[in-house]
Amino acid sequence: MADNVTYDVESFYKGLVEHGLIVPVRVLGAFGRGAVFEDVLERFNGLVTQLSKNDGAEVYTFPPVIDRTIIEKTDYLDSFPNLAGTVFSFFGKDREAKALSAKVHAGEPWGDTQGITDVCLNPAACYPVYPCIAGTLPQNGRTITMTNWVYRHEPSPEPTRMQSFRVREFVRAGTPDMVVEWRDQWLQRGLELLTSLGLPAKSDVAADPFFGRAGKILADGQKAQKLKFEVLVPVISVEKPTAVCSFNYHQEHFGHVFGIRTADDQVAHTACLGFGLERVTMALFKTHGFDPKTWPAPVRSKLWP
Amino acid sequence: MADNVTYDVESFYKGLVEHGLIVPVRVLGAFGRGAVFEDVLERFNGLVTQLSKNDGAEVYTFPPVIDRTIIEKTDYLDSFPNLAGTVFSFFGKDREAKALSAKVHAGEPWGDTQGITDVCLNPAACYPVYPCIAGTLPQNGRTITMTNWVYRHEPSPEPTRMQSFRVREFVRAGTPDMVVEWRDQWLQRGLELLTSLGLPAKSDVAADPFFGRAGKILADGQKAQKLKFEVLVPVISVEKPTAVCSFNYHQEHFGHVFGIRTADDQVAHTACLGFGLERVTMALFKTHGFDPKTWPAPVRSKLWP
């Protein structure tokens, strides 16, 4: 990392835009991505694939919308009601359509013409997979990887805090030993991969942003039990580095909710880890500059071998 | 195409599931995609990139959620109110969160705890790009390509009718001549590409599924003016082949709404075309069988050179 890197939200956002890396839109946290940004993102995702190529992970892709009952059953709406996005649509006939149209053209609010659908936006890359692995796992458990779009309702001018972003996710389901050992292995792998790209990455115990007054107690418990780790890189601040990779050990939570059992007929434990692909990409631009052609040779040769 | 291909929704869906190509979920039209399915999809998308490599198209990626005012300004809610997906979220404090939680845990409807946000799901791959190209175009107009996730609220057991799917999209903005010539060139290209993959593709004049009683008049007008073409391949029916590629000439519509002007200071015309990536992939599985290893050699060597 160059010694003269300075940190502020505004100039970083402006730099991303001026170099065509992101394309601003009217709403916060939903900008377009340019070709160079996408190339870096895909190259990084390719390195993660390479790292995991001997793990026997099953590969899936899930759409950005998922079965709404998943967030109902998993207490997501208790912990993060403010971040959840639910999909509403119009269920009326001709007459109601006319009323909707009139409101839209008059510039009036029209939310009351909409009703809740069976889908919500995917709040965490791993969520759609748990119902799909219900039942008894094979002897060695299962490992699954996905690159999914994730939604969080937190509009922000801060470019690393997006409403919509991609996560390269891995999920492990099996016995507690399997799951914890796997998580620890990936914590090491993640740190090594990011460091090898010249990023000043550090890991730390972390907590989710649980909602409301009770949230602090939940966060403290999560920290005390070391259920969540993050790998952090300074992107918009040195004091508050950005989490680019997150590791969650759910213990029996999802196994219990979705009926996932180990080969020995115990409730399966699960853990997941995800690389925030846009955040890693931004960390690379922040650390090495807005033009990949000028990045250090070892970083370039890793991404574009 | 094998002569003995038969067509029915149920056995095609079952075949896709049994071969691990798609992963069923509880809601319709939101299934997961397996590794082999994704490989075919990405390979096909790569062929489209190759076809267009000398076109000087700018490449962007937009998230699955877009600025809600885009569907308000473009009359989307007049034409397809039933297909639009709007994103709602929770705006309350501790007390309202408790009420939401209580409803969810009691299995009661909780839609009334949600309010409309500034974003909606992207209803057509090209929509987010028009506000980004507002202003005066260069002399030769602009050509843009994107692979975006699109949402339509039409849950269906029919696998080619999805709530969420990807479209490889191209947009052209310029003078009427530029735009129509470009559209015609791509109609030819699309047919040739699909035919070269052994798909019995045919093009036809088409209409959008406009909503309600007035919808038929709009559709007839669109057909009479030949504003929409589709390329169709039999996937679940011979009589009603599936549109795998769609071409729309918007004339001045988006240019007018978003203030896109030609170099000669006229309202720009626009057209777009999109390959429905999941639909093309399914057409390949339907036509050549569920195991790509058994596909005809010319098709294999085109997809996996």
Side-chain angles (χ1 to χ4, degrees):
Chain A
M1 182 170 59
D3 286 337
N4 57 353
V5 175
T6 58
Y7 295 87
D8 74 287
V9 169
E10 212 176 305
S11 73
F12 183 55
Y13 181 82
K14 219 176 132 190
L16 290 171
V17 172
E18 283 174 357
H19 290 79
L21 298 168
I22 67 172
V23 182
V25 301
R26 202 191 60 93
V27 293
L28 295 171
F31 45 79
R33 284 76 159 155
V36 173
F37 188 97
E38 284 295 293
D39 186 32
V40 172
L41 184 149
E42 281 168 20
R43 296 281 170 170
F44 175 78
N45 202 10
L47 291 179
V48 178
T49 300
Q50 225 173 286
L51 260 188
S52 62
K53 68 173 188 286
N54 297 321
D55 293 2
E58 305 163 58
V59 186
Y60 296 114
T61 301
F62 285 91
V65 297
I66 65 167
D67 173 4
R68 172 163 56 85
T69 66
I70 294 175
I71 63 165
E72 293 171 355
K73 287 178 187 163
T74 53
D75 304 337
Y76 186 86
L77 293 160
D78 294 348
S79 299
F80 316 104
N82 53 321
L83 299 180
T86 43
V87 179
F88 277 54
S89 192
F90 172 79
F91 293 86
K93 301 279 182 208
D94 264 301
R95 197 163 55 123
E96 292 82 14
K98 268 186 197 147
L100 163 57
S101 173
K103 284 183 179 177
V104 171
H105 289 282
E108 287 168 14
W110 50 274
D112 62 349
T113 66
Q114 305 284 297
I116 197 164
T117 70
D118 281 341
V119 294
C120 65
L121 288 159
N122 188 5
C126 63
Y127 271 52
V129 89
Y130 300 112
C132 299
I133 62 170
T136 303
L137 297 170
Q139 195 64 49
N140 289 323
R142 282 175 83 169
T143 309
I144 289 145
T145 185
M146 302 162 283
T147 301
N148 293 334
W149 282 93
V150 166
Y151 180 81
R152 306 270 166 86
H153 186 240
E154 43 180 357
S156 166
E158 204 271 80
T160 69
R161 192 158 296 281
M162 290 157 274
Q163 291 203 61
S164 191
F165 53 94
R166 277 158 293 178
V167 176
R168 171 62 185 268
E169 186 87 0
F170 289 82
V171 173
R172 183 92 174 100
T175 64
D177 283 356
M178 277 180 204
V179 163
V180 170
E181 190 197 2
W182 174 87
R183 193 265 323 264
D184 291 344
Q185 183 197 21
W186 265 107
L187 191 55
Q188 200 50 41
R189 276 184 181 174
L191 270 171
E192 280 169 17
L193 173 60
L194 295 164
T195 308
S196 78
L197 292 169
L199 298 177
K202 293 202 162 48
S203 66
D204 203 356
V205 176
D208 285 309
F210 292 104
F211 181 80
R213 276 186 298 238
K216 204 192 160 312
I217 300 160
L218 290 169
D220 288 347
Q222 192 184 28
K223 272 198 168 173
Q225 290 185 79
K226 296 191 176 182
L227 296 178
K228 186 183 184 80
F229 289 87
E230 287 174 342
V231 174
L232 306 130
V233 178
V235 181
I236 49 123
S237 151
V238 176
E239 299 74 26
K240 294 187 173 177
T242 299
V244 295
C245 191
S246 159
F247 304 74
N248 286 279
Y249 177 29
H250 322 114
Q251 299 173 308
E252 292 190 342
H253 180 55
F254 292 111
H256 181 72
V257 170
F258 294 107
I260 312 167
R261 315 278 303 174
T262 66
D264 302 334
D265 203 30
Q266 305 296 306
V267 176
H269 281 228
T270 61
C272 71
L273 70 96
F275 291 90
L277 294 177
E278 278 85 356
R279 283 187 168 185
V280 171
T281 304
M282 287 183 195
L284 286 164
F285 284 112
K286 181 67 199 182
T287 306
H288 301 308
F290 290 118
D291 181 1
K293 287 197 204 76
T294 67
W295 290 3
V299 176
R300 284 192 56 80
S301 67
K302 236 184 123 64
L303 288 167
W304 294 275
Chain B
M1 182 171 57
D3 287 334
N4 58 353
V5 175
T6 59
Y7 295 88
D8 74 287
V9 169
E10 214 176 302
S11 73
F12 183 56
Y13 181 83
K14 222 176 128 188
L16 289 170
V17 173
E18 282 175 359
H19 289 81
L21 298 168
I22 66 171
V23 183
V25 302
R26 202 191 61 91
V27 293
L28 295 171
F31 45 79
R33 283 76 159 153
V36 173
F37 188 99
E38 284 295 295
D39 187 31
V40 172
L41 185 149
E42 282 168 20
R43 294 281 169 169
F44 175 78
N45 202 11
L47 292 179
V48 178
T49 300
Q50 226 174 285
L51 261 188
S52 62
K53 68 172 186 289
N54 297 321
D55 294 1
E58 304 164 58
V59 186
Y60 295 114
T61 300
F62 284 91
V65 297
I66 65 167
D67 174 3
R68 173 163 56 83
T69 65
I70 295 175
I71 62 166
E72 293 171 355
K73 287 178 189 163
T74 54
D75 302 337
Y76 186 87
L77 293 160
D78 295 347
S79 300
F80 318 104
N82 54 319
L83 299 180
T86 42
V87 179
F88 277 56
S89 192
F90 172 80
F91 294 86
K93 300 279 180 208
D94 263 301
R95 196 161 56 122
E96 293 80 14
K98 266 185 197 146
L100 163 58
S101 174
K103 284 183 180 180
V104 170
H105 288 282
E108 288 168 15
W110 50 275
D112 62 348
T113 66
Q114 305 284 297
I116 198 164
T117 70
D118 281 341
V119 294
C120 65
L121 288 158
N122 188 5
C126 63
Y127 271 51
V129 89
Y130 300 112
C132 299
I133 61 170
T136 303
L137 298 170
Q139 194 65 48
N140 288 322
R142 282 176 83 170
T143 309
I144 288 145
T145 185
M146 304 163 281
T147 300
N148 293 334
W149 281 92
V150 166
Y151 179 81
R152 306 269 165 88
H153 185 241
E154 44 181 356
S156 165
E158 204 272 80
T160 68
R161 191 158 297 280
M162 290 158 273
Q163 290 202 61
S164 192
F165 53 94
R166 277 157 293 178
V167 176
R168 173 61 185 270
E169 186 88 357
F170 290 82
V171 173
R172 182 92 174 100
T175 65
D177 283 355
M178 276 180 203
V179 162
V180 170
E181 191 197 4
W182 174 87
R183 192 266 322 266
D184 291 345
Q185 182 197 24
W186 264 106
L187 191 54
Q188 200 50 42
R189 276 184 180 175
L191 270 171
E192 280 170 16
L193 173 60
L194 295 163
T195 308
S196 78
L197 293 168
L199 299 177
K202 293 200 165 46
S203 67
D204 203 356
V205 175
D208 284 310
F210 293 104
F211 180 80
R213 277 187 296 237
K216 206 193 159 310
I217 300 162
L218 291 170
D220 288 346
Q222 194 182 27
K223 272 197 168 172
Q225 291 185 78
K226 296 192 176 180
L227 296 178
K228 186 183 183 77
F229 288 87
E230 288 175 343
V231 174
L232 305 130
V233 178
V235 181
I236 50 121
S237 153
V238 175
E239 297 74 27
K240 293 188 174 175
T242 299
V244 296
C245 192
S246 159
F247 304 74
N248 287 278
Y249 177 30
H250 321 114
Q251 299 173 308
E252 292 191 342
H253 180 55
F254 291 113
H256 180 73
V257 170
F258 293 108
I260 311 167
R261 314 279 302 174
T262 64
D264 303 333
D265 203 29
Q266 304 296 306
V267 176
H269 280 228
T270 61
C272 71
L273 70 97
F275 291 90
L277 294 177
E278 279 84 356
R279 285 188 166 184
V280 170
T281 304
M282 288 184 196
L284 287 164
F285 283 113
K286 180 67 197 179
T287 306
H288 301 309
F290 290 119
D291 181 2
K293 287 197 204 78
T294 69
W295 290 3
V299 176
R300 284 192 56 79
S301 67
K302 236 184 122 67
L303 287 166
W304 294 276

